[in-house]
Amino acid sequence: MGLLSNRIDRSSLKPGDHIYSWRTAYIYAHHGIYVGDDRVIHFTRRGQEVGTGTVLDLILVSSGPSRNHTHCPTCVPPNEGHGVVSSCLNCFLAGGVLYRFEYSVNAAHFLAKARGGTCTLAVSDPNDVVVHRANHLLQNGFGCYDVFKNNCEDFAIYCKTGLLVLEGRTMGQSGQAVSIIGGPIAAVLSTPMRLVTTNIYGMAATAVGVYCASRYATDIGMRADVAKVEVEDLTRRLSVGLFQVIEPPVAA
């Protein structure tokens, strides 16, 4: 692993690792938590889901295993009530390459990774805590799947950090979602530069700067609107329809 690639060998995997594999010509990556014994727990579009209402719903369907593929005898059949599933590593990778998501990276390293969804400035919790969260969510679910607000990367990052965005209407912590949204936003925001300069290189530099700033500001390790939430409390709130994290009252 390093600045250019997070690719790893299977022999280096440890329980609690956040892993991912690219799908559909590197348009999107599927993320999960390796829990040992060749097993990966991950969040898919197999259960309840909230689509984007755009063409992305067709493109990003590859974020989970196809319903039509031959069933693997070693994998646990998915619970149709929610999208958290346990798969063998081969089924999770679906023929793709294995990568490990990085935590506690510095700002320079984070910004050097032009593509979101590969690293974060946030600090990971101990591996045994990560595995406990993943197993608990396997039994209880992680809410409705949403490409931009509650996807497979959000699931894996929560398992690793226990952090959730406070306001349910705010975009989730997914770095690749920011990448998908950030590019067009950067292009739009850089458009006023045409009034200042017609230099294509200057406009491109501005767009890149806006994109990098948006990625940095929305990273889960930098956001101010997050809180640490115990997994048991999270699933209790999900079961009664409370998706927002409610801060406890401050004693007078």
Side-chain angles (χ1 to χ4, degrees):
M1 290 192 18
L3 186 60
L4 297 180
S5 176
N6 291 355
R7 184 172 180 172
I8 61 170
D9 295 321
R10 293 186 183 213
S11 59
S12 68
L13 275 176
K14 304 182 301 295
D17 276 350
H18 172 174
I19 61 176
Y20 63 96
S21 184
W22 292 103
R23 302 282 200 264
T24 313
Y26 292 89
I27 293 174
Y28 192 76
H30 188 50
H31 295 247
I33 299 295
Y34 182 72
V35 295
D37 297 325
D38 201 44
R39 312 296 303 175
V40 183
I41 296 176
H42 51 118
F43 190 36
T44 74
R45 298 170 61 93
R46 300 294 295 261
Q48 276 193 330
E49 59 188 65
V50 179
T52 66
T54 71
V55 70
L56 285 174
D57 287 342
L58 300 178
I59 296 174
L60 302 186
V61 71
S62 62
S63 66
S66 169
R67 289 179 182 270
N68 297 321
H69 82 305
T70 303
H71 178 65
C72 173
T74 65
C75 290
V76 177
N79 183 333
E80 293 295 335
H82 63 74
V84 182
V85 299
S86 173
S87 303
C88 68
L89 184 57
N90 283 337
C91 285
F92 172 81
L93 294 175
V97 176
L98 175 64
Y99 296 87
R100 181 158 52 210
F101 194 97
E102 295 181 285
Y103 285 79
S104 303
V105 301
N106 59 44
H109 184 104
F110 179 84
L111 293 174
K113 295 277 192 178
R115 183 67 181 268
T118 61
C119 62
T120 178
L121 296 102
V123 178
S124 171
D125 288 328
N127 286 338
D128 59 331
V129 175
V130 176
V131 172
H132 167 71
R133 288 187 186 122
N135 279 312
H136 186 85
L137 294 175
L138 175 63
Q139 299 301 320
N140 296 277
F142 193 61
C144 293
Y145 186 101
D146 185 286
V147 171
F148 296 122
K149 298 179 182 179
N150 198 44
N151 60 39
C152 57
E153 186 184 349
D154 294 319
F155 168 84
I157 289 176
Y158 171 73
C159 288
K160 289 288 286 185
T161 66
L163 297 175
L164 284 178
V165 175
L166 289 173
E167 172 55 57
R169 293 186 298 274
T170 302
M171 185 171 63
Q173 56 263 37
S174 170
Q176 61 185 336
V178 174
S179 291
I180 293 170
I181 298 172
I185 290 178
V188 169
L189 294 181
S190 65
T191 300
M193 284 295 293
R194 294 176 184 172
L195 302 176
V196 180
T197 178
T198 57
N199 186 307
I200 187 65
Y201 299 108
M203 292 175 60
T206 301
V208 170
V210 172
Y211 168 69
C212 290
S214 69
R215 279 189 59 224
Y216 187 80
T218 55
D219 182 72
I220 192 70
M222 291 299 298
R223 295 177 67 145
D225 59 345
V226 297
K228 199 92 167 181
V229 181
E230 294 296 329
V231 68
E232 291 81 6
D233 188 34
L234 169 63
T235 54
R236 180 184 64 81
R237 293 179 186 277
L238 288 171
S239 68
V240 296
L242 296 176
F243 291 92
Q244 294 91 349
V245 177
I246 300 175
E247 294 277 66
V250 178

